[in-house]
Amino acid sequence: MLPAEGSLMQPMYFRMVRRLLGSKRRAAFVVAFWVLIASLLAGAAPSLESVEDNASANLPPAASDSMKARDLVRAQLPGQDATPAVIVVRGEGADAAASAGNAVARITSALSESARPAQVTSVISTVTTPDAAAELVSRDRGSQLVIVPIAGSPSDESFQHAVDQVRSLASDRAGPTEVAVTGPAGIATDTVKVFGGGDKVMLLATVLLVLVILLAIYRSPLMALVPLLAVGVAMRVSETTGALLADAGIITVSSQTASIMTVLLFGVGTDYALIITARFREALFDEPNRPRAMQIAVRRTAESVLASASTIVLAMFALLVAVSPALRGFGPYLALGVAVMALVAFTFVPALILLLGGGVFWPGGVDRAAERGRGAGVWHRIAALVARAPVRVASAVVALLVVMSAGLLGYHESFNTLSGFRSATESERGQRLIQEAFGLGEIAPSTVVVRSQDDLRSTPAAAAIGAALGEADGVSRVGERPRFGEDGRTVFYEVVLDLDPYSSKALDAIGPLKEATRAVADAAGVEDTTVLIAGETAQNADIRSALDRDTTFIVLLVLAVVTAVLVLLLRSLLAPLYLVATLILSFLATLGATTFFTLTVLGDEGIGNRVTAYVFVFLVALGIDYNIFIMSRFKQELRTLHPAKAISAALTRTGGVVSSAGLILAATFAVLMTQPIRELFQFGFAMAFGILLDTFLIRPLLVPALVHLFGDHALWPARPTHPRTPPTPAEPAATPAAAPRPAPSR
């Protein structure tokens, strides 16, 4: 037996709905409540930008070897707590070496004067440290490096201002040479600028795009504004609450997370508003009293919408199993936003519609709005097509998804942050100059850390280890002299690889380099040796290992969450299996198409290292929404119709609104493609593509075809309560003619 409608919901909830939506006065109270909450939180919370943590999101787990090595470097070597800016100077003309040397002298002098930025702690150049010329001057002597450590946090405005001042001074003193400021300080500053410039464009584009689509769907200005106002309230409450939690150290929020939150709330919020208002228009056919019609609409959509929101929230919390800061810190803030959006959708949206009265349907009027809620003719034809040939439809869709998945043959990841900027930056130009003049590995040297129980300063072991490292596979050079830590038991070697330090080959080389160093230390007689490697290559190797581990756990947990929600919603063991299978197919096809488009067509260096995990979590959590909407409606229709007619009726009745919702959700994620960041561009493309697959292939064709094939067993072990004679294959779901209705209650 199928469960009764709303059996998953508590009666207390529906009593609350009746009270809140019983009249215009009560509706006005609900709207005022949300506006007041948003205003109070805005006054109490710090700005979200002031509490964003963009540094930890790009680091490996704190317990990883590279982070332990970084901590030893900072603890044992004086002055390592500052973030270095690297000025690269390339001479021009026939006497490039002399022009580069003169420019370095002028830049060093400017950064050593009292007028230099206060956060510049020192200057390391051939002028101040002549002994370091071998590392600071290129082989052809036409280029030189100047290292400028800058104190403070890279996320602070004062730090970014100091980097800008260094750039200005270097440019002013460069003369005829080419100069660029890069290094960790330059990269961090450029990252903030790239994100800051893109956010405003993204928000404006999202609002305009959603407004245009809503106007086309509703054909009513006021009704189109309702979802946008609801999203605005939810976004304000979510951002301020998130800022308070981040300020208290409970959650972390990064610029990327904030960008994704924007499009997620616009997409999900308008989806929920569309589902509720569609049922409201449908209810107006039989119930002219608007408050009662809205109560019916909320009651009939509550189970599916709350199941959808719960799936997304639980999927976001599933990210807490991750050890990668980029994934672990991603979930709680987005889960908060979706939960708030669901509450706003079920209270603010219905209340605002009731408060606006008949004007919300202007200029078409109530009757035309209600008529549009009955389902368009195109969905009758699609339902009939699926009913006539479910095997051919399912086979065609699966074959198409498999072909799209073939793009995965070219899949590989990128760990180079700078190559991910889709706009020109000075730090990227500086990195390119260093690679051309000094070699591939010079843009990101590694630090090999050897730690012993004995004092190494008085033994020949340290020199022997350094000499052996210079002969190791994949090593271009080793710094001339090792540096000893304050305790004498720790020695540090600067090692430059002969590989692109961000490439997969370089990441693969970290483990063998560590083992080779340990073997050399043992051969040199160093007892109880601990070998660690610091630097960007080692950190990326640890990030890759953590992401590989996290992705496996997250995939299994998210699939378990989605399956459990579907089992509870549908009271079925079979349906969740084939519905989840469609999601997996959709994900593989989406990732294959994204790989082909961004790598083969656009020429990206690789898929962003976190994109795959993000796409899986979001595409499964959001893609299941449309399966939930059609299957929950199918379950309702089964009370009066045979399964074949019930799935056709469900497809017909949900076709227009769910397709509109999917189009909006895809469009909002597509806005991320305006961002000048590779990861956000790829994520936005993948989500838009995958949502369109779910909206126009999986939900209207593949899922109904599978239901037709399983027939009475589609919701096994539940069985239809009213089995009927099967309809003829070409027979679409019946659409009752609209009966004359009394004028709606105001």
Side-chain angles (χ1 to χ4, degrees), residues 97-437:
S99 65
N102 292 333
V104 166
R106 292 191 297 270
I107 292 171
T108 301
S109 175
L111 291 173
S112 302
E113 297 171 353
S114 58
R116 70 182 184 184
Q119 288 170 272
V120 171
T121 60
S122 62
V123 183
I124 302 171
S125 70
T126 53
V127 176
T128 61
T129 318
D131 292 343
E135 286 139 15
L136 298 176
V137 181
S138 64
R139 291 186 181 89
D140 65 1
R141 310 196 66 80
S143 299
Q144 292 193 30
L145 302 179
V146 179
I147 313 300
V148 185
I150 299 178
S153 171
S155 61
D156 293 342
E157 287 187 14
S158 58
F159 181 95
Q160 296 153 26
H161 181 62
V163 172
D164 288 338
Q165 286 182 292
V166 169
R167 283 176 165 165
S168 178
L169 285 171
S171 177
D172 290 344
R173 303 300 195 279
T177 64
E178 183 177 3
V179 65
V181 177
T182 183
I187 294 171
T189 299
D190 285 342
T191 301
V192 171
K193 290 179 178 179
V194 168
F195 268 108
D199 281 345
K200 299 179 181 65
V201 174
M202 184 190 67
L203 181 59
L204 179 60
T206 304
V207 172
L208 292 177
L209 184 60
V210 173
L211 180 59
V212 169
I213 297 175
L214 288 174
L215 286 171
I217 293 170
Y218 286 126
R219 303 169 199 174
S220 167
L222 285 180
M223 185 66 90
L225 287 175
V226 168
L228 291 178
L229 292 173
V231 170
V233 170
M235 186 178 296
R236 194 60 177 160
V237 172
S238 301
E239 285 182 350
T240 50
T241 305
L244 289 170
L245 294 174
D247 194 44
I250 299 173
I251 66 173
T252 58
V253 180
S254 67
S255 298
Q256 266 196 5
T257 311
S259 297
I260 293 174
M261 171 72 101
T262 299
V263 299
L264 179 65
L265 289 190
F266 270 98
V268 170
T270 50
D271 273 14
Y272 293 162
L274 279 168
I275 298 298
I276 293 170
T277 54
R279 269 304 181 95
F280 174 55
R281 292 185 301 181
E282 191 176 326
L284 285 173
F285 255 100
D286 304 314
E287 177 52 73
N289 181 279
R290 287 203 188 95
R292 285 199 294 269
M294 183 60 78
Q295 292 168 22
I296 293 171
V298 171
R299 184 173 69 250
R300 290 179 177 173
T301 56
E303 192 174 55
S304 58
V305 172
L306 290 181
S308 164
S310 299
T311 303
I312 300 173
V313 169
L314 291 173
M316 294 300 105
F317 277 122
L319 293 172
L320 291 176
V321 304
V323 296
S324 308
L327 293 180
R328 185 176 179 84
F330 198 74
Y333 180 55
L334 297 176
L336 168 69
V338 173
V340 171
M341 190 68 253
L343 288 174
V344 171
F346 271 119
T347 54
F348 181 86
V349 169
L352 185 58
I353 290 174
L354 293 178
L355 191 61
L356 292 173
V360 77
F361 296 112
W362 181 85
V366 179
D367 290 340
R368 187 171 298 178
E371 181 62 35
R372 287 200 299 271
R374 303 300 288 179
V378 64
W379 297 107
H380 290 292
R381 293 191 290 273
I382 292 174
L385 169 66
V386 177
R388 282 196 306 270
V391 174
R392 281 184 290 174
V393 169
S395 300
V397 173
V398 170
L400 181 59
L401 295 176
V402 170
V403 170
M404 292 178 182
S405 302
L408 289 172
L409 295 174
Y411 179 88
H412 60 274
E413 296 179 344
S414 171
F415 289 83
N416 190 342
T417 301
L418 282 179
S419 72
F421 293 157
R422 305 187 82 87
S423 59
T425 61
E426 184 172 340
S427 52
E428 190 276 334
R429 181 166 60 88
Q431 294 280 50
R432 178 170 44 79
L433 291 174
I434 293 174
Q435 281 190 320
E436 291 172 356

Side-chain angles (χ1 to χ4, degrees), residues 60 189 285 495 675 706:
T189 299
F285 255 100
V495 175
Q675 295 291 278
L706 293 174

